[in-house]
């Protein structure tokens, strides 16, 4: 599912939000939507892409993307995200429900492909994760998602608390007042960071040539 929250023709700032729940309008979407509305109020365009209920192909380590710049499995969901990143985004937010103390496995299968094939384009883009759970596992899921950003040279945006909200049945997350406030603060902080990091590529740090050290040589 591809949802356009707001289109602002006079701004070039845009944040992509990925709803990692199979429920298009569930609690994860509602948490992300709170972030999106906060970004909109700061003049930042937002789009939410939902992963839906279909099976998602994981990475098979074929190396195709390193040669061609795109995953060999060019399914519609992957292509929507690939196209959005290629067209230019200024920030990324990834949201997920908590399954067994971690993010949705389908979401991780998608993110493995996205980050492996679009790592260069995502560098230095502010990023944040959002997790929704019934009771426990939020911190572990939050940590797992943030690892995609910290390995990709993406500044991680903070809020007033860890970006988590609580709810079981559809709509319950909106009753978590602290959680919703955390989402709004996250949107404000991301807009603030984007506006201050909106510089040309020559303003980025000069990267060293990567050193690959394997445990077995």
């Amino acid at each position: 599912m591809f949802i356009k929250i707001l289109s602002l023709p006079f701004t070039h700032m845009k944040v992509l939000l990925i709803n990692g729940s199979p429920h298009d309008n569930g609690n994860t979407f509602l948490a992300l939507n709170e972030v999106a509305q906060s970004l909109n109020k700061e003049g930042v365009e937002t789009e939410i892409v939902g992963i839906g209920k279909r099976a998602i192909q994981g990475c098979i380590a074929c190396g195709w993307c390193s040669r061609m710049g795109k995953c060999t499995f060019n399914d519609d969901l992957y292509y929507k995200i690939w196209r959005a990143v290629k067209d230019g985004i200024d920030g990324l937010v990834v949201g997920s429900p908590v399954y067994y103390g971690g993010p949705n496995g389908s979401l991780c299968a998608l993110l493995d492909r996205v980050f492996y094939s679009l790592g260069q384009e995502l560098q230095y883009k502010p990023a944040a994760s959002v997790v929704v759970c019934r009771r426990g596992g939020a911190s572990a899921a939050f940590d797992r998602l943030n690892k995609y950003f910290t390995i990709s040279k993406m500044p991680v945006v903070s809020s007033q608390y860890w970006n988590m909200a609580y709810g079981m049945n559809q709509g319950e997350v909106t009753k978590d007042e602290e959680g919703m406030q955390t989402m709004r603060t996250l949107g404000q902080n991301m807009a603030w960071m984007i506006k201050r990091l909106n510089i040309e590529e020559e303003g980025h740090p000069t990267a060293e040539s990567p050193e690959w050290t394997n445990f077995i040589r």
Side-chain angles (χ1 to χ4, degrees):
M1 187 176 182
F2 195 37
I3 302 175
K4 193 150 196 160
I5 299 298
L6 182 64
S7 179
L8 301 173
F10 302 111
T11 180
H12 298 289
M13 295 179 295
K14 178 180 177 181
V15 169
L16 176 67
L17 301 95
I18 300 176
N19 176 14
S21 169
H23 302 296
D24 293 332
N25 298 296
N27 287 319
T28 301
F29 170 81
L30 293 173
L32 289 173
N33 192 49
E34 198 77 6
V35 179
Q37 290 184 31
S38 184
L39 284 163
N40 294 161
K41 289 178 181 178
E42 299 293 330
V44 180
E45 180 183 350
T46 56
E47 289 182 317
I48 298 181
V49 177
I51 67 171
K53 294 181 171 64
R54 294 186 178 181
I56 297 176
Q57 173 67 51
C59 178
I60 60 170
C62 66
W64 175 267
C65 63
S66 63
R67 299 189 298 272
M68 305 303 294
K70 185 184 295 187
C71 181
T72 188
F73 299 109
N74 194 29
D75 51 274
D76 290 344
L77 175 59
Y78 169 85
Y79 181 73
K80 283 180 180 177
I81 295 173
W82 183 89
R83 184 74 271 165
V85 173
K86 287 290 186 178
D87 286 344
I89 60 171
D90 298 286
L92 177 68
V93 181
V94 178
S96 178
V98 175
Y99 294 166
Y100 290 93
N104 182 356
S106 294
L107 172 64
C108 291
L110 173 67
L111 294 178
D112 287 349
R113 294 163 57 205
V114 167
F115 276 84
Y116 206 72
S117 61
L118 289 165
Q120 292 294 320
E121 286 79 4
L122 291 171
Q123 288 183 17
Y124 306 110
K125 309 289 186 184
S129 60
V130 167
V131 294
V132 175
C133 70
R134 180 191 70 85
R135 186 172 178 85
S139 295
F142 182 62
D143 176 68
R144 172 72 173 85
L145 291 175
N146 285 337
K147 285 182 167 62
Y148 285 103
F149 313 140
T150 56
I151 201 174
S152 304
K153 300 181 182 178
M154 302 177 75
V156 178
V157 184
S158 63
S159 184
Q160 66 190 49
Y161 192 74
W162 297 301
N163 307 331
M164 55 189 69
Y166 290 82
M168 175 64 179
N169 298 320
Q170 183 176 1
E172 283 185 347
V173 73
T174 60
K175 299 177 182 178
D176 179 3
E177 295 180 3
E178 183 176 355
M180 291 296 96
Q181 188 177 62
T182 299
M183 299 303 126
R184 292 191 296 272
T185 302
L186 175 61
Q188 292 170 353
N189 289 352
M190 175 166 276
W192 178 87
M193 185 179 289
I194 288 172
K195 292 172 183 178
R196 281 152 184 78
L197 292 179
N198 190 18
I199 56 178
E200 300 297 328
E201 287 189 7
E202 54 262 29
H204 296 158
T206 301
E208 296 184 13
S209 299
E211 296 287 351
W212 298 98
T213 304
N214 299 326
F215 289 106
I216 300 175
R217 294 182 177 273

